[in-house]
């Protein structure tokens, strides 16, 4: 009950900010339309709709980090969290209350991308449902990253770290915009040591129906999600104690 | 009956002692002010009493519940209106009040009843559907106090409730705080001498984490041999009066 009340409040705060809607839903949509237009003029395999859409859905999740980190940092700054820490709410209420409402927003972002992709020629298939389902663990990684950043950074720092740095890292190291084989070497090795490209490769494999290819990508995603979640919970509880 | 009993409460941050063996008691229904210059230990004291910060040593009992051993019970007895307005900016005034009712586990009926009561008490009727983030500082403070009162606390902590408000808004809030006297035990921290003098039953003056004096405004002036409370405060803090 307490957690749900808090989660409802967090969802309202995120959805009532027009900038969040513009970035969370509008920006990925614009990217699909723009890159599909480029693909129509200069065909590139990477930008074919069945390759592009899973990549954009994953890239769009980097805004979920921005949403959750901004909300937490602002709540810390405005002392709303301090007020709530003096109520009977538990640590679990706070962590779930910040995490759960962003999962449906992430799913909505992906659903909007797939709807646009239909309009641009993506074939309707049950694999889309599986791809949407597997967005949940990926979004958990991005949301946990937001919980972590929101627990240690100010709302201004969050803008720089999550808004600029993470979105760029998530774009460059994910193989969405260019084939990582084109760069190769250390860049490719670093990319494959991080979860972004694994998340994209996993979603591409699911959409293509190549379920055997989701490993080891799924393990990378789940491993990073678990690691970041543990760090995020630790840092959130630490800032809670430091009040 | 004693609402708060503080026994040798101490908070140390590495080599800094923010609160040093504070011992005092506050009666139920009393409006008690904590006064002091910056760094005196007022906010740290409030944070310890409201279970936000664990003391280094000592303990305090709020209606006989220890802030160390009975944290959950203490949280059910208190409410805090922090120095910052601490409202959810994207929610309306009504939704902010509903949020606090929800985290306290109130039923729909009780929430409605409490929101009507607090709206009326704090004159929030006209701004009920407005977004909290769009309200003026004075209205946000009113909302902040309403959010603290809605959980029916036995003990209310008001940390600098009139900080940065204009004269009229401050006067309005004074009236609201006065109306709580006798019903709720109120612990007020403030920088404003006239505020503490006008509102408080008793005042504690702190410096460098230590309690210098704790008495009524009249007795404090008497001890400092002056008619002006501000002068009495300066004399006590500067050590002119022991």
């Amino acid at each position: 009950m307490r957690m749900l009340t808090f989660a409802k409040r967090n969802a309202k705060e995120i959805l009532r900010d027009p900038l969040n809607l513009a970035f969370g839903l509008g920006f990925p949509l614009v990217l699909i339309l723009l890159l599909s237009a480029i693909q129509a003029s200069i065909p590139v395999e990477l930008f074919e709709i069945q390759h592009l859409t899973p990549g954009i859905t994953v890239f769009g999740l980097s805004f979920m980090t921005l949403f959750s980190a901004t909300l937490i940092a602002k709540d810390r700054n405005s002392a709303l969290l301090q007020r709530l820490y003096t109520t009977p709410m538990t640590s679990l209420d706070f962590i779930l209350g910040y995490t759960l409402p962003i999962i449906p927003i992430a799913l909505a972002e992906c659903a909007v991308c797939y709807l646009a992709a239909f309009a641009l020629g993506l074939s309707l298939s049950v694999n889309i449902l599986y791809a949407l389902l597997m967005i949940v663990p990926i979004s958990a990684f991005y949301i946990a990253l937001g919980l972590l950043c929101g627990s240690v950074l100010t709302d201004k720092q969050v803008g720089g770290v999550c808004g600029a740095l993470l979105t760029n890292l998530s774009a460059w190291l994910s193989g969405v915009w260019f084939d990582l084989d084109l760069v190769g070497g250390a860049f490719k090795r670093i990319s494959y040591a991080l979860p972004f490209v694994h998340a994209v490769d996993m979603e591409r494999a699911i959409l293509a129906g190549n379920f055997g290819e989701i490993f080891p990508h799924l393990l990378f995603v789940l491993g990073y999600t678990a690691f970041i979640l543990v760090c995020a919970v630790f840092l959130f509880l630490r800032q809670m104690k430091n009040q | 009956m004693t609402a708060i009993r503080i026994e040798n409460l101490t908070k140390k941050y590495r080599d800094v002692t923010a609160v040093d063996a504070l011992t005092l008691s506050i009666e139920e229904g009393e409006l008690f002010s904590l006064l002091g210059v910056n760094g005196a230990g007022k906010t740290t004291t409030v944070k310890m009493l409201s279970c936000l910060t664990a003391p280094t040593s000592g303990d305090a009992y709020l209606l006989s519940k220890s802030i160390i051993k009975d944290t959950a019970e203490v949280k059910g007895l208190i409410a805090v209106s922090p120095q910052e307005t601490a409202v959810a900016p994207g929610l309306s005034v009504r939704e902010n009040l509903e949020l606090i009712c929800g985290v306290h586990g109130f039923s729909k009926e009780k929430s409605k009843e409490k929101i009507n009561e607090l709206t009326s008490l704090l004159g929030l009727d006209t701004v009920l559907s407005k977004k909290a983030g769009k309200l003026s500082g004075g209205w946000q403070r009113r909302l902040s106090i309403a959010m603290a009162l809605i959980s029916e606390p036995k003990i209310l902590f008001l940390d600098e409730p009139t900080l940065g408000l204009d004269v009229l808004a401050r006067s309005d809030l004074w009236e609201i705080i006065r109306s709580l006297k006798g019903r709720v035990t109120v612990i007020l921290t403030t920088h404003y001498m006239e505020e503490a003098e006008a509102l408080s039953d008793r005042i504690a003056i702190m410096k460098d984490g230590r309690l210098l004096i704790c008495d009524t405004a009249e007795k404090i002036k008497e001890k400092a041999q002056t008619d002006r409370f501000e002068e009495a405060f300066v004399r006590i803090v500067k050590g002119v009066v022991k």
Side-chain angles (χ1 to χ4, degrees):
Chain A
M1 169 72 182
R2 290 186 177 104
M3 186 278 286
L4 286 178
T5 303
F6 186 57
K8 202 169 137 190
R9 172 264 165 178
N10 293 333
K12 282 181 185 170
E13 288 276 6
I14 291 168
L15 294 172
R16 285 180 184 175
D17 187 337
L19 272 179
N20 285 347
L21 291 179
F23 277 99
L25 298 178
F27 192 52
L29 201 59
V30 168
L31 284 175
I32 285 188
L33 296 173
L34 189 69
L35 293 173
S36 295
I38 293 171
Q39 160 71 14
S41 307
I42 313 160
V44 182
E45 193 192 340
L46 194 68
F47 292 163
E48 284 172 4
I49 199 72
Q50 71 275 16
H51 289 296
L52 182 66
T53 314
I56 297 289
T57 57
V58 172
F59 170 71
L61 296 179
S62 56
F63 294 107
M64 304 304 134
T65 305
L66 184 63
F67 296 166
S68 68
T70 306
L71 186 62
I72 297 164
K74 278 186 176 171
D75 285 351
R76 280 172 50 224
N77 186 46
S78 73
L80 181 68
L81 269 182
Q82 199 184 94
R83 180 197 289 281
L84 294 174
Y85 290 155
T86 63
T87 69
M89 282 182 75
T90 63
S91 320
L92 193 65
D93 290 333
F94 284 107
I95 289 161
L96 292 178
Y98 276 125
T99 307
L100 295 183
I102 305 181
I103 291 175
I105 298 174
L107 285 169
E109 179 256 322
C110 297
V112 166
C113 287
Y114 277 107
L115 281 175
F118 291 142
L120 295 167
L122 182 74
S123 320
L124 192 62
S125 127
V126 73
N127 294 339
I128 292 170
L129 281 180
Y130 299 140
L132 280 174
L133 192 68
M134 290 311 284
I135 276 294
V136 175
I138 305 172
S139 63
F141 163 75
Y142 281 97
I143 296 166
L145 205 53
L147 186 64
L148 188 152
C149 293
S151 300
V152 293
L153 302 174
T154 64
D155 49 346
K156 281 181 186 165
Q157 290 168 330
V158 160
V161 173
C162 300
L165 185 65
L166 179 77
T167 48
N168 275 297
L169 282 179
S170 188
W172 297 342
L173 304 176
S174 63
V176 176
W177 313 116
F178 52 86
D179 193 333
L180 295 175
D181 287 328
L182 292 176
V183 186
F187 187 86
K188 190 181 171 186
R189 281 198 298 277
I190 292 169
S191 297
Y192 273 95
L194 293 168
F196 309 110
V197 67
H198 290 289
V200 172
D201 284 353
M202 182 175 82
E203 284 292 297
R204 281 178 177 158
I206 293 169
L207 188 65
N210 302 326
F211 299 109
E213 289 177 19
I214 67 170
F215 295 100
H217 308 303
L218 179 62
L219 298 178
F220 264 91
V221 170
L222 291 178
Y224 266 99
T225 303
F227 174 68
I228 295 292
L229 197 58
V230 168
C231 294
V233 168
F234 171 76
L235 290 170
F236 185 82
L237 295 179
R238 196 185 69 161
Q239 66 81 27
M240 199 173 167
K241 200 180 163 197
N242 286 347
Q243 286 292 320
Chain B
M1 193 185 163
T2 304
I4 302 176
R5 197 174 82 244
I6 303 173
E7 293 176 354
N8 287 311
L9 199 64
T10 301
K11 182 69 187 180
K12 289 182 181 171
Y13 295 102
R14 290 189 183 138
D15 51 346
V16 177
T17 304
V19 176
D20 191 2
L22 182 68
T23 298
L24 59 88
S25 65
I26 298 164
E27 294 304 306
E28 254 187 283
E30 195 175 358
L31 204 158
F32 189 91
S33 286
L34 282 173
L35 271 186
V37 290
N38 288 340
K42 309 182 298 283
T43 299
T44 307
T45 302
V46 168
K47 282 188 172 182
M48 285 192 283
L49 295 178
S50 53
C51 304
L52 281 170
T53 301
T56 309
S57 62
D59 202 348
Y61 300 87
L62 277 66
L63 297 167
S64 306
K65 302 288 178 196
S66 159
I67 58 166
I68 297 168
K69 291 177 195 146
D70 312 311
T71 312
E73 285 97 329
V74 168
K75 285 182 177 183
L77 296 169
I78 63 165
V80 179
S81 178
Q83 218 170 81
E84 302 84 353
T85 46
V87 298
L91 301 192
S92 69
V93 169
R94 180 189 291 280
E95 286 169 334
N96 266 282
L97 296 172
E98 284 170 349
L99 167 68
I100 302 298
C101 288
V103 299
H104 281 279
F106 289 180
S107 66
K108 270 192 178 173
E109 293 72 30
K110 189 173 179 186
S111 299
K112 200 174 168 188
E113 184 192 315
K114 290 302 299 176
I115 289 169
N116 287 340
E117 185 191 324
L118 265 300
T119 300
S120 163
L121 178 71
L122 288 134
L124 291 166
D125 315 63
T126 53
V127 293
L128 214 48
S129 56
K130 285 192 178 163
K131 271 194 183 177
K134 304 275 180 198
L135 298 176
S136 68
W139 282 107
Q140 286 196 7
R141 290 274 172 193
R142 278 183 191 228
L143 172 59
S144 175
I145 293 174
M147 287 166 77
L149 283 172
I150 206 157
S151 61
E152 301 175 324
K154 300 270 187 265
I155 299 167
L156 173 66
F157 295 96
L158 298 176
D159 196 3
E160 306 276 3
T162 62
L163 190 72
L165 295 189
D166 63 37
V167 178
L168 284 180
R170 182 176 298 169
S171 157
D172 287 347
L173 266 187
W174 281 16
E175 280 312 307
I176 290 163
I177 294 167
R178 269 198 197 99
S179 73
L180 301 174
K181 263 193 185 183
R183 295 160 53 196
V184 184
T185 306
V186 181
I187 316 301
L188 176 80
T189 70
T190 182
H191 270 99
Y192 302 114
M193 303 297 132
E194 72 279 17
E195 187 165 285
E197 188 181 10
L199 297 175
S200 318
D201 294 314
R202 282 191 307 148
I203 298 165
I205 298 177
M206 295 177 74
K207 186 191 176 190
D208 299 331
R210 289 196 312 277
L211 180 67
L212 299 179
I213 194 168
C214 177
D215 218 322
T216 63
E218 284 309 310
K219 291 266 176 65
I220 289 173
K221 286 191 283 188
E222 214 174 276
K223 281 177 190 166
Q225 297 172 328
T226 173
D227 291 337
R228 290 177 54 240
F229 185 73
E230 190 170 332
E231 199 179 327
F233 173 82
V234 172
R235 285 185 181 186
I236 289 164
V237 170
K238 283 190 170 175
V240 178
V241 179
K242 297 282 178 188

